[in-house]
Amino acid sequence: MDKDILILAIESSCDETAASVVKNGRQVLSNVISSQIALHTIYGGVVPEIASRKHIEKINQVIEQALAEAKVSLEEIDAIGVTYGPGLVGALLVGVAEAKAIAYAAKKPLIGVHHIEGHVSANFIQHPELEPPFICLIVSGGHTHLVVVKDYGEFEILGRTRDDAAGEAFDKVARAIGLGYPGGPKIDKAAKEGNRHAIEFPRAKVGDSPYDFSFSGLKSAVLNYINHEKMMGNEISVPDVAASFQNAVVDSLVTRAIAAAKEYGYKKLALAGGVASNTALRAGMDESCKKENIQLYYPSPILCTDNAAMIGCAAYYEYQKGNRSCWDLNAVPNLKLGER
Ligand code: KG4
Ligand code: ZN
Protein backbone atom coordinates (compact mmCIF):
# COMPACT_ATOMS: atom_id res chain seq x y z
CA MET A 1 0.00 0.00 0.00
CA ASP A 2 1.13 3.55 -0.73
CA LYS A 3 2.42 5.65 2.13
CA ASP A 4 -0.10 8.03 3.71
CA ILE A 5 0.34 11.66 2.68
CA LEU A 6 -0.13 14.21 5.45
CA ILE A 7 -0.65 17.87 4.56
CA LEU A 8 -0.50 20.72 7.06
CA ALA A 9 -2.70 23.46 5.58
CA ILE A 10 -3.01 27.14 6.45
CA GLU A 11 -5.79 29.57 5.48
CA SER A 12 -5.81 33.29 6.31
CA SER A 13 -7.30 35.01 3.25
CA CYS A 14 -10.04 36.93 5.06
CA ASP A 15 -11.24 36.90 8.66
CA GLU A 16 -10.62 33.31 9.78
CA THR A 17 -7.20 32.11 10.94
CA ALA A 18 -7.29 28.41 10.19
CA ALA A 19 -5.01 25.37 10.15
CA SER A 20 -5.71 21.72 9.46
CA VAL A 21 -4.02 18.38 9.03
CA VAL A 22 -5.45 16.33 6.17
CA LYS A 23 -4.55 12.71 5.40
CA ASN A 24 -4.58 11.46 1.80
CA GLY A 25 -6.60 14.44 0.64
CA ARG A 26 -9.96 13.58 2.14
CA GLN A 27 -9.50 12.55 5.74
CA VAL A 28 -9.54 15.54 8.10
CA LEU A 29 -7.43 14.85 11.21
CA SER A 30 -7.94 18.35 12.59
CA ASN A 31 -9.68 21.53 11.45
CA VAL A 32 -8.97 24.50 13.72
CA ILE A 33 -10.65 27.83 12.95
CA SER A 34 -10.13 31.01 14.93
CA SER A 35 -12.86 33.35 13.74
CA GLN A 36 -12.56 37.13 13.95
CA ILE A 37 -16.24 37.72 13.21
CA ALA A 38 -17.03 39.19 16.64
CA LEU A 39 -14.20 41.67 16.22
CA HIS A 40 -15.35 42.94 12.82
CA THR A 41 -19.06 42.98 13.68
CA ILE A 42 -18.75 46.32 15.46
CA TYR A 43 -17.48 47.88 12.19
CA GLY A 44 -20.20 46.25 10.06
CA GLY A 45 -17.67 44.37 7.90
CA VAL A 46 -14.11 43.08 7.71
CA VAL A 47 -11.45 45.72 8.46
CA PRO A 48 -8.38 44.51 6.52
CA GLU A 49 -5.77 45.98 8.86
CA ILE A 50 -7.39 44.46 11.93
CA ALA A 51 -7.68 41.11 10.13
CA SER A 52 -3.93 41.04 9.36
CA ARG A 53 -2.96 41.90 12.93
CA LYS A 54 -5.27 39.28 14.38
CA HIS A 55 -3.90 36.62 12.02
CA ILE A 56 -0.36 37.39 13.25
CA GLU A 57 -1.51 37.04 16.87
CA LYS A 58 -3.32 33.75 16.32
CA ILE A 59 -1.55 31.84 13.60
CA ASN A 60 1.12 30.04 15.65
CA GLN A 61 -1.30 28.77 18.25
CA VAL A 62 -3.83 27.69 15.60
CA ILE A 63 -1.15 25.65 13.80
CA GLU A 64 0.12 24.11 17.05
CA GLN A 65 -3.44 23.16 17.95
CA ALA A 66 -4.04 21.62 14.51
CA LEU A 67 -0.95 19.42 14.85
CA ALA A 68 -1.80 18.50 18.46
CA GLU A 69 -5.43 17.58 17.68
CA ALA A 70 -4.28 15.49 14.71
CA LYS A 71 -1.63 13.85 16.94
CA VAL A 72 0.91 14.46 14.21
CA SER A 73 4.36 15.98 14.59
CA LEU A 74 5.77 18.47 12.09
CA GLU A 75 8.38 15.85 11.11
CA GLU A 76 5.62 13.51 9.95
CA ILE A 77 4.06 16.12 7.64
CA ASP A 78 4.73 15.60 3.91
CA ALA A 79 3.97 19.12 2.65
CA ILE A 80 2.71 22.53 3.75
CA GLY A 81 -0.28 23.90 1.82
CA VAL A 82 -1.28 27.55 2.05
CA THR A 83 -3.83 29.88 0.46
CA TYR A 84 -1.92 32.51 -1.53
CA GLY A 85 -4.90 34.18 -3.27
CA PRO A 86 -7.39 35.59 -3.88
CA GLY A 87 -8.16 37.53 -0.70
CA LEU A 88 -7.00 40.47 1.40
CA VAL A 89 -3.33 41.01 0.65
CA GLY A 90 -2.22 41.66 4.24
CA ALA A 91 -4.22 38.72 5.55
CA LEU A 92 -2.89 36.37 2.85
CA LEU A 93 0.70 37.49 3.53
CA VAL A 94 0.52 36.29 7.13
CA GLY A 95 -0.35 32.76 6.05
CA VAL A 96 2.10 32.70 3.16
CA ALA A 97 5.02 33.97 5.27
CA GLU A 98 4.20 31.49 8.02
CA ALA A 99 3.94 28.56 5.58
CA LYS A 100 7.22 29.50 3.93
CA ALA A 101 8.99 29.76 7.28
CA ILE A 102 7.72 26.37 8.45
CA ALA A 103 8.41 24.67 5.12
CA TYR A 104 11.94 26.10 4.96
CA ALA A 105 12.83 25.31 8.56
CA ALA A 106 11.34 21.81 8.50
CA LYS A 107 12.58 21.08 4.94
CA LYS A 108 9.12 20.32 3.58
CA PRO A 109 7.68 21.10 0.15
CA LEU A 110 5.51 24.21 -0.07
CA ILE A 111 2.26 24.22 -2.06
CA GLY A 112 0.43 27.48 -2.78
CA VAL A 113 -3.31 26.87 -3.08
CA HIS A 114 -5.98 28.89 -4.87
CA HIS A 115 -8.67 29.77 -2.31
CA ILE A 116 -11.52 28.94 -4.70
CA GLU A 117 -9.98 25.57 -5.57
CA GLY A 118 -10.09 25.03 -1.82
CA HIS A 119 -13.81 25.83 -1.63
CA VAL A 120 -14.55 23.36 -4.45
CA SER A 121 -12.42 20.72 -2.69
CA ALA A 122 -14.56 20.90 0.46
CA ASN A 123 -16.93 18.68 -1.52
CA PHE A 124 -14.28 15.96 -1.83
CA ILE A 125 -13.96 15.86 1.95
CA GLN A 126 -17.71 15.68 2.49
CA HIS A 127 -18.36 13.17 -0.29
CA PRO A 128 -15.61 10.55 -0.50
CA GLU A 129 -17.17 9.08 -3.64
CA LEU A 130 -17.22 12.37 -5.59
CA GLU A 131 -14.76 12.64 -8.46
CA PRO A 132 -14.47 15.08 -11.37
CA PRO A 133 -15.90 15.91 -13.80
CA PHE A 134 -18.93 17.78 -12.46
CA ILE A 135 -20.55 21.21 -12.52
CA CYS A 136 -19.82 23.43 -9.53
CA LEU A 137 -21.51 26.63 -8.41
CA ILE A 138 -19.06 28.62 -6.29
CA VAL A 139 -20.81 31.27 -4.22
CA SER A 140 -18.81 33.11 -1.57
CA GLY A 141 -18.36 36.60 -0.19
CA GLY A 142 -16.00 37.57 -2.99
CA HIS A 143 -16.85 35.17 -5.82
CA THR A 144 -19.68 33.80 -7.88
CA HIS A 145 -18.58 31.32 -10.54
CA LEU A 146 -20.28 28.56 -12.44
CA VAL A 147 -17.63 26.10 -13.60
CA VAL A 148 -17.02 22.64 -14.93
CA VAL A 149 -14.54 20.90 -12.62
CA LYS A 150 -12.82 18.93 -15.37
CA ASP A 151 -10.22 17.36 -13.13
CA TYR A 152 -8.63 18.14 -9.76
CA GLY A 153 -7.62 21.80 -9.95
CA GLU A 154 -8.81 22.15 -13.56
CA PHE A 155 -11.74 24.41 -14.28
CA GLU A 156 -13.66 25.60 -17.29
CA ILE A 157 -15.47 28.80 -16.38
CA LEU A 158 -19.00 28.94 -17.79
CA GLY A 159 -20.17 32.05 -16.00
CA ARG A 160 -19.33 34.57 -13.34
CA THR A 161 -20.82 37.61 -11.68
CA ARG A 162 -20.60 40.88 -13.58
CA ASP A 163 -20.76 42.95 -10.40
CA ASP A 164 -21.38 41.90 -6.78
CA ALA A 165 -20.70 38.38 -5.55
CA ALA A 166 -23.71 36.53 -4.14
CA GLY A 167 -22.38 36.71 -0.56
CA GLU A 168 -21.57 40.39 -0.97
CA ALA A 169 -25.21 41.02 -1.98
CA PHE A 170 -26.38 39.16 1.14
CA ASP A 171 -24.04 41.24 3.30
CA LYS A 172 -25.06 44.58 1.75
CA VAL A 173 -28.81 43.89 1.91
CA ALA A 174 -28.48 42.67 5.51
CA ARG A 175 -26.84 45.95 6.43
CA ALA A 176 -29.60 47.92 4.67
CA ILE A 177 -32.35 46.16 6.60
CA GLY A 178 -30.50 46.50 9.88
CA LEU A 179 -29.45 42.88 10.36
CA GLY A 180 -25.72 43.65 10.50
CA TYR A 181 -22.66 41.56 9.76
CA PRO A 182 -22.23 38.82 8.65
CA GLY A 183 -25.32 39.21 6.52
CA GLY A 184 -25.73 35.80 4.92
CA PRO A 185 -26.58 33.73 8.00
CA LYS A 186 -28.75 36.56 9.41
CA ILE A 187 -30.84 36.86 6.23
CA ASP A 188 -31.09 33.07 6.07
CA LYS A 189 -32.52 33.05 9.62
CA ALA A 190 -34.85 36.07 9.23
CA ALA A 191 -36.19 34.70 5.92
CA LYS A 192 -37.54 31.62 7.68
CA GLU A 193 -40.18 33.85 9.31
CA GLY A 194 -41.01 35.71 6.08
CA ASN A 195 -43.00 35.26 2.87
CA ARG A 196 -40.67 34.84 -0.11
CA HIS A 197 -43.40 35.95 -2.50
CA ALA A 198 -44.23 39.12 -0.53
CA ILE A 199 -42.17 41.44 -2.77
CA GLU A 200 -41.37 40.77 -6.42
CA PHE A 201 -37.68 41.72 -6.79
CA PRO A 202 -36.08 41.57 -10.26
CA ARG A 203 -34.00 38.64 -11.56
CA ALA A 204 -31.28 40.13 -13.73
CA LYS A 205 -30.44 38.56 -17.06
CA VAL A 206 -27.03 39.24 -18.51
CA GLY A 207 -27.85 39.60 -22.20
CA ASP A 208 -25.05 37.95 -24.09
CA SER A 209 -24.03 35.33 -21.57
CA PRO A 210 -26.57 32.81 -20.24
CA TYR A 211 -24.42 31.75 -17.29
CA ASP A 212 -23.24 35.13 -16.01
CA PHE A 213 -24.79 36.61 -12.89
CA SER A 214 -25.59 40.13 -11.76
CA PHE A 215 -26.72 41.08 -8.27
CA SER A 216 -26.20 44.84 -8.08
CA GLY A 217 -29.60 45.59 -9.70
CA LEU A 218 -31.32 43.37 -7.16
CA LYS A 219 -29.46 45.08 -4.33
CA SER A 220 -30.56 48.51 -5.66
CA ALA A 221 -34.14 47.26 -5.98
CA VAL A 222 -34.12 46.27 -2.31
CA LEU A 223 -32.69 49.66 -1.31
CA ASN A 224 -35.27 51.47 -3.47
CA TYR A 225 -38.06 49.42 -1.95
CA ILE A 226 -36.93 50.27 1.59
CA ASN A 227 -36.61 53.99 0.78
CA HIS A 228 -39.98 54.06 -0.95
CA GLU A 229 -41.74 52.36 1.96
CA LYS A 230 -40.06 54.71 4.44
CA MET A 231 -41.13 57.73 2.40
CA MET A 232 -44.70 56.46 2.38
CA GLY A 233 -44.51 56.10 6.15
CA ASN A 234 -44.90 52.33 5.94
CA GLU A 235 -43.07 49.96 8.22
CA ILE A 236 -41.07 47.32 6.38
CA SER A 237 -41.26 43.68 7.29
CA VAL A 238 -37.62 42.55 7.69
CA PRO A 239 -38.51 38.84 7.34
CA ASP A 240 -40.48 39.49 4.13
CA VAL A 241 -37.69 41.58 2.57
CA ALA A 242 -35.11 38.98 3.61
CA ALA A 243 -37.17 36.09 2.22
CA SER A 244 -38.05 37.88 -1.04
CA PHE A 245 -34.46 38.99 -1.64
CA GLN A 246 -33.10 35.55 -0.82
CA ASN A 247 -35.66 33.97 -3.14
CA ALA A 248 -34.51 36.19 -6.02
CA VAL A 249 -30.85 35.22 -5.44
CA VAL A 250 -31.68 31.53 -5.12
CA ASP A 251 -33.79 31.67 -8.27
CA SER A 252 -31.02 33.08 -10.41
CA LEU A 253 -28.43 30.67 -8.98
CA VAL A 254 -30.60 27.57 -9.37
CA THR A 255 -31.83 28.41 -12.88
CA ARG A 256 -28.33 28.90 -14.29
CA ALA A 257 -26.70 25.96 -12.51
CA ILE A 258 -29.39 23.54 -13.66
CA ALA A 259 -29.38 24.92 -17.22
CA ALA A 260 -25.58 24.49 -17.39
CA ALA A 261 -25.73 20.93 -16.07
CA LYS A 262 -28.33 20.07 -18.70
CA GLU A 263 -26.61 21.83 -21.60
CA TYR A 264 -23.19 20.36 -20.84
CA GLY A 265 -24.62 16.95 -20.00
CA TYR A 266 -23.46 16.56 -16.38
CA LYS A 267 -25.44 14.56 -13.86
CA LYS A 268 -23.39 15.79 -10.89
CA LEU A 269 -23.70 19.30 -9.47
CA ALA A 270 -21.81 20.64 -6.44
CA LEU A 271 -22.17 23.82 -4.41
CA ALA A 272 -19.20 25.55 -2.79
CA GLY A 273 -18.37 28.67 -0.74
CA GLY A 274 -19.98 30.40 2.22
CA VAL A 275 -23.35 30.98 0.52
CA ALA A 276 -23.57 27.22 -0.17
CA SER A 277 -24.61 26.89 3.48
CA ASN A 278 -27.76 28.91 2.76
CA THR A 279 -30.75 26.73 3.61
CA ALA A 280 -33.03 28.15 0.87
CA LEU A 281 -30.34 27.64 -1.77
CA ARG A 282 -29.85 24.04 -0.68
CA ALA A 283 -33.60 23.40 -0.68
CA GLY A 284 -34.11 25.07 -4.07
CA MET A 285 -31.22 23.15 -5.62
CA ASP A 286 -32.41 19.92 -4.04
CA GLU A 287 -35.86 20.30 -5.54
CA SER A 288 -34.66 21.18 -9.05
CA CYS A 289 -31.94 18.51 -9.08
CA LYS A 290 -34.47 15.84 -8.11
CA LYS A 291 -36.73 16.92 -10.99
CA GLU A 292 -33.85 16.76 -13.45
CA ASN A 293 -32.35 13.59 -12.02
CA ILE A 294 -29.10 15.36 -11.14
CA GLN A 295 -27.07 14.27 -8.11
CA LEU A 296 -26.50 17.26 -5.80
CA TYR A 297 -23.46 17.65 -3.52
CA TYR A 298 -22.70 20.28 -0.91
CA PRO A 299 -20.35 20.45 2.07
CA SER A 300 -21.53 20.73 5.67
CA PRO A 301 -21.74 24.40 6.79
CA ILE A 302 -18.38 24.32 8.62
CA LEU A 303 -16.67 23.21 5.39
CA CYS A 304 -18.58 25.79 3.28
CA THR A 305 -17.18 28.87 4.97
CA ASP A 306 -13.43 29.52 5.12
CA ASN A 307 -11.42 26.69 6.68
CA ALA A 308 -8.02 25.08 6.17
CA ALA A 309 -9.20 21.48 5.65
CA MET A 310 -10.43 22.41 2.16
CA ILE A 311 -7.00 23.94 1.47
CA GLY A 312 -5.33 20.72 2.66
CA CYS A 313 -7.50 18.70 0.29
CA ALA A 314 -6.68 20.93 -2.69
CA ALA A 315 -2.98 20.91 -1.74
CA TYR A 316 -2.99 17.10 -1.70
CA TYR A 317 -4.17 16.90 -5.32
CA GLU A 318 -1.59 19.52 -6.35
CA TYR A 319 1.04 17.48 -4.46
CA GLN A 320 0.03 14.34 -6.35
CA LYS A 321 0.40 16.21 -9.65
CA GLY A 322 3.94 17.19 -8.62
CA ASN A 323 3.15 20.90 -8.23
CA ARG A 324 5.42 22.67 -5.75
CA SER A 325 5.81 26.38 -4.99
CA CYS A 326 9.14 28.17 -4.79
CA TRP A 327 10.43 30.28 -1.92
CA ASP A 328 9.33 33.40 -3.77
CA LEU A 329 5.64 32.44 -3.39
CA ASN A 330 3.77 35.68 -2.77
CA ALA A 331 0.23 36.70 -1.85
CA VAL A 332 -1.84 37.41 -4.98
CA PRO A 333 -4.96 39.30 -3.86
CA ASN A 334 -6.75 39.08 -7.23
CA LEU A 335 -5.59 35.64 -8.34
CA LYS A 336 -7.88 34.39 -11.13
CA LEU A 337 -9.47 30.97 -11.12
CA GLY A 338 -7.41 28.56 -13.20
CA GLU A 339 -4.17 30.50 -12.67
CA ARG A 340 -1.28 29.10 -10.67
O1 KG4 B 1 -16.59 31.47 1.50
P1 KG4 B 1 -16.65 32.48 2.56
O2 KG4 B 1 -16.51 32.04 3.99
O3 KG4 B 1 -15.58 33.59 2.34
C1 KG4 B 1 -15.17 34.03 1.11
O4 KG4 B 1 -14.29 33.37 0.49
O5 KG4 B 1 -15.73 35.06 0.66
O6 KG4 B 1 -18.03 33.22 2.34
C2 KG4 B 1 -18.47 34.22 3.19
C3 KG4 B 1 -19.79 34.71 2.62
C4 KG4 B 1 -20.32 35.94 3.33
O7 KG4 B 1 -20.74 36.88 2.37
C5 KG4 B 1 -21.50 35.40 4.13
O8 KG4 B 1 -22.52 36.37 4.32
C6 KG4 B 1 -21.97 34.28 3.23
O9 KG4 B 1 -20.79 33.69 2.75
N1 KG4 B 1 -22.77 33.29 3.96
C7 KG4 B 1 -24.07 33.05 3.71
C8 KG4 B 1 -24.51 32.10 4.66
N2 KG4 B 1 -23.45 31.77 5.46
C9 KG4 B 1 -22.39 32.52 5.00
N3 KG4 B 1 -24.89 33.56 2.77
C10 KG4 B 1 -26.16 33.15 2.77
N4 KG4 B 1 -26.66 32.26 3.65
C11 KG4 B 1 -25.87 31.70 4.60
N5 KG4 B 1 -26.38 30.82 5.48
ZN1 ZN C 1 -13.75 31.72 1.04
Side-chain angles (χ1 to χ4, degrees), residues 10 30 42 44 52 63 72 106 138 179 249 272 294 302 332 335 340:
I10 300 168
S30 62
I42 40 175
S52 315
I63 292 170
V72 166
I138 305 152
L179 290 176
V249 176
I294 295 168
I302 193 70
V332 184
L335 185 66
R340 273 203 66 78

Side-chain angles (χ1 to χ4, degrees), residues 115 119 140-142 167-168 170-171 182-185 188 273-275 277-278 304-306:
H115 183 73
H119 273 302
S140 73
E168 195 180 349
F170 269 96
D171 294 335
D188 196 347
V275 184
S277 53
N278 183 268
C304 283
T305 43
D306 290 349

Side-chain angles (χ1 to χ4, degrees), residues 11 13-14 86 115-116 119 139-143 273-274 304-307 310:
E11 154 65 42
S13 66
C14 191
H115 183 73
I116 300 301
H119 273 302
V139 271
S140 73
H143 303 270
C304 283
T305 43
D306 290 349
N307 65 88
M310 67 184 196

